[in-house]
Amino acid sequence: SQKDWDNGDLKLTVASTAQKVIMIEAGANEIPEEKMLEAIYKCHDINQTIIAFMNKIVEEVGKKKHEYTSCAIPEEMFAAIREIVTPEQMEEAVFTDEKQKREENIREITEKLEEAFEKEFRKKRVICKNIYAYEKQDGQIEIIMNARTVKGRLVTATELSKIMSNIMQKRLKPSDASRKVIDTGFGEYIFVEGTKYKVLTGVARLTKDGQSVSGDTFSMINLPSGELLMALSDGMGSGTSAFDDSKNVIELLEQMSEAGFSQTSAIRLINSLYMSDQEFENYATLDISLINLYKGECSFLKNGAVGTYVLNQGKMYCIEGQSLPMGVVSDAEPYIGKMSLYPGDYVIMMTDGVADMFSQERYNLEKFIKQIEIVNPGDMAQAIVDEAVSRNKGAVSDDMSVIVAGVWEN
């Protein structure tokens, strides 16, 4: 009872996992050691009953376990640390019974580690402090530090990233959100793991004969996640009305993607806006290719869009989806596909004004792409549009847009 707690000789709090005691807090009059140990074991036993009850609730509710962003120290950092402080030295310092001595040992080791890293930075006349390295949920390394130069020097963050890459044995680069030049005042700098792949893109477009504006709209965004988002929308019909529809879809997608929405969630929200807002009178297709530059994977999301062609290790594949455009039905779900990409591969997106010109079997796009020997994505996109016009006897009977992305090792 509370009265026993207030008047007893021992006030003990024990925190446990299912396997062991992890924390003890206590205040007491003088009591025998055996009684103290008995109390700890008793608390641990009671905790097991509570843990079993909690596990039973979790099992019955069935709610998915919450995911969190891991801040684990990267293995590369551990390897670098072990070269400076041996595991035996670390163990001797940490597993010391006296708390003050333990804290002093840890402080000395921390200073030794910082000195080792800063030794390399000083060669560039850069002073660093408060260095933090962690591994993000997606497995990529991020390093945050405060840095400044001495003697009036200016050093680029890229120069510092090269030093850190050698230490970490990982290709690091300054974050897009980080300052790019280190000057004489302390500032925060962020370094992230560089991507394994790079992408070059090219676009070619033509407006339908007799119209002053194309009804197609496209966008390409480099996302903070190390992904390249390519999107293409074709408004119903042509001219200003079609352009307004496709522009609205692309602008909404850009805003939601930059705000951190997944592309699937963004599509659902955009479609809901289309269905509820009278401003959107027609419908528009939405074609998304999302290239992960770390993993070399491409995800495809399609709402009413024509096929996307992928030249993959010398073979041509067509990614097609049987889904409806935005604004047709309230519960529109995109077709979703995924494919691995390799250096030398190409992703080719287009609107129906181009695709229709290659619809006949003997004129199909796959055969044409294999026949032309073009490496530059911009030239390839232009060649496809030119060929589409040529096969339509020089007429542009619909808006034509082509996006080509070529993948290379970084």
Side-chain angles (χ1 to χ4, degrees), residues 19-181:
Q19 290 76 35
K20 60 184 178 180
V21 172
I22 59 173
M23 186 189 74
I24 297 173
E25 290 186 0
N29 297 324
E30 187 173 344
I31 61 173
E33 181 178 344
E34 294 79 7
K35 184 61 67 176
M36 183 70 180
L37 290 173
E38 180 186 348
I40 292 172
Y41 279 114
K42 181 66 174 176
C43 290
H44 182 60
D45 289 342
I46 293 173
N47 285 345
Q48 299 313 300
T49 304
I50 299 171
I51 290 170
F53 175 67
M54 293 169 64
N55 289 337
K56 186 172 184 293
I57 291 175
V58 171
E59 184 179 346
E60 290 179 357
V61 173
K63 188 174 180 180
K64 184 179 178 181
K65 189 173 181 179
H66 176 69
E67 295 182 357
Y68 70 101
T69 300
S70 173
C71 294
I73 301 298
E75 179 57 35
E76 293 80 3
M77 178 67 84
F78 274 126
I81 290 173
R82 285 192 288 267
E83 292 183 4
I84 302 164
V85 181
T86 66
E88 292 75 19
Q89 290 174 317
M90 184 70 76
E91 184 173 338
E92 181 181 351
V94 174
F95 294 103
T96 301
D97 292 335
E98 296 182 26
K99 184 177 181 181
Q100 289 182 336
K101 180 63 176 175
R102 183 168 63 249
E103 289 179 348
E104 176 64 20
N105 291 342
I106 292 172
R107 184 187 64 78
E108 290 177 359
I109 285 177
T110 301
E111 290 177 353
K112 187 177 180 181
L113 290 170
E114 288 182 348
E115 182 180 348
F117 287 110
E118 290 170 0
K119 180 180 178 181
E120 296 298 320
F121 302 147
R122 282 197 294 269
K123 294 177 182 178
K124 289 285 186 180
R125 296 183 182 176
V126 174
I127 297 174
C128 296
K129 65 179 183 179
N130 301 331
I131 304 172
Y132 301 97
Y134 65 96
E135 189 174 82
K136 298 188 293 184
Q137 188 174 2
D138 59 7
Q140 309 307 321
I141 293 171
E142 182 167 297
I143 297 175
I144 304 173
M145 68 172 66
N146 291 321
R148 72 174 179 87
T149 60
V150 295
K151 297 184 179 180
R153 285 200 62 182
L154 295 178
V155 176
T156 66
T158 300
E159 291 179 78
L160 204 59
S161 70
K162 291 178 180 178
I163 295 173
M164 303 189 74
S165 296
N166 290 332
I167 294 173
M168 299 291 295
Q169 294 299 300
K170 283 277 188 179
R171 184 179 177 276
L172 299 171
K173 66 173 186 176
S175 166
D176 292 338
S178 179
R179 297 167 63 181
K180 298 300 184 285
V181 177

Side-chain angles (χ1 to χ4, degrees), residues 275-301:
M275 297 301 297
S276 62
D277 197 330
Q278 294 181 353
E279 178 183 344
F280 302 115
E281 297 180 355
N282 300 314
Y283 63 79
T285 67
L286 181 56
D287 196 0
I288 297 174
S289 294
L290 188 69
I291 302 178
N292 188 311
L293 301 177
Y294 287 110
K295 299 179 181 179
E297 293 178 345
C298 187
S299 300
F300 306 94
L301 294 89

Side-chain angles (χ1 to χ4, degrees), residues 181-218:
V181 177
I182 302 166
D183 54 29
T184 54
F186 269 113
E188 184 177 84
Y189 296 87
I190 303 171
F191 299 89
V192 296
E193 191 171 341
T195 58
K196 183 178 180 181
Y197 300 96
K198 63 181 178 181
V199 172
L200 298 179
T201 58
V203 180
R205 309 174 70 202
L206 284 176
T207 300
K208 179 181 177 181
D209 291 339
Q211 297 291 340
S212 59
V213 63
S214 173
D216 301 340
T217 305
F218 75 96

Side-chain angles (χ1 to χ4, degrees), residues 251-263:
E251 286 181 349
L252 287 168
L253 176 66
E254 288 176 337
Q255 293 168 9
M256 292 179 185
S257 296
E258 290 173 346
F261 285 86
S262 71
Q263 281 65 52

Side-chain angles (χ1 to χ4, degrees), residues 279-382:
E279 178 183 344
F280 302 115
E281 297 180 355
N282 300 314
Y283 63 79
T285 67
L286 181 56
D287 196 0
I288 297 174
S289 294
L290 188 69
I291 302 178
N292 188 311
L293 301 177
Y294 287 110
K295 299 179 181 179
E297 293 178 345
C298 187
S299 300
F300 306 94
L301 294 89
K302 290 181 171 293
N303 279 84
V306 298
T308 294
Y309 287 82
V310 182
L311 186 58
N312 185 269
Q313 295 185 301
K315 295 182 179 180
M316 185 69 77
Y317 299 89
C318 184
I319 312 299
E320 295 180 294
Q322 302 298 320
S323 58
L324 295 172
M326 309 296 288
V328 176
V329 294
S330 59
D331 57 347
E333 288 290 329
Y335 164 82
I336 301 175
K338 182 178 286 189
M339 177 178 285
S340 294
L341 299 178
Y342 303 91
D345 287 357
Y346 291 88
V347 177
I348 305 167
M349 304 170 66
M350 66 191 69
T351 52
D352 58 1
V354 177
D356 288 347
M357 297 302 103
F358 294 89
S359 59
Q360 297 182 35
E361 180 61 30
R362 67 191 185 96
Y363 290 135
N364 68 48
L365 181 64
E366 179 178 343
K367 292 180 180 178
F368 174 72
I369 293 297
K370 287 185 175 181
Q371 288 172 359
I372 61 174
E373 296 182 357
I374 296 177
V375 175
N376 182 281
D379 293 341
M380 184 180 293
Q382 190 61 57

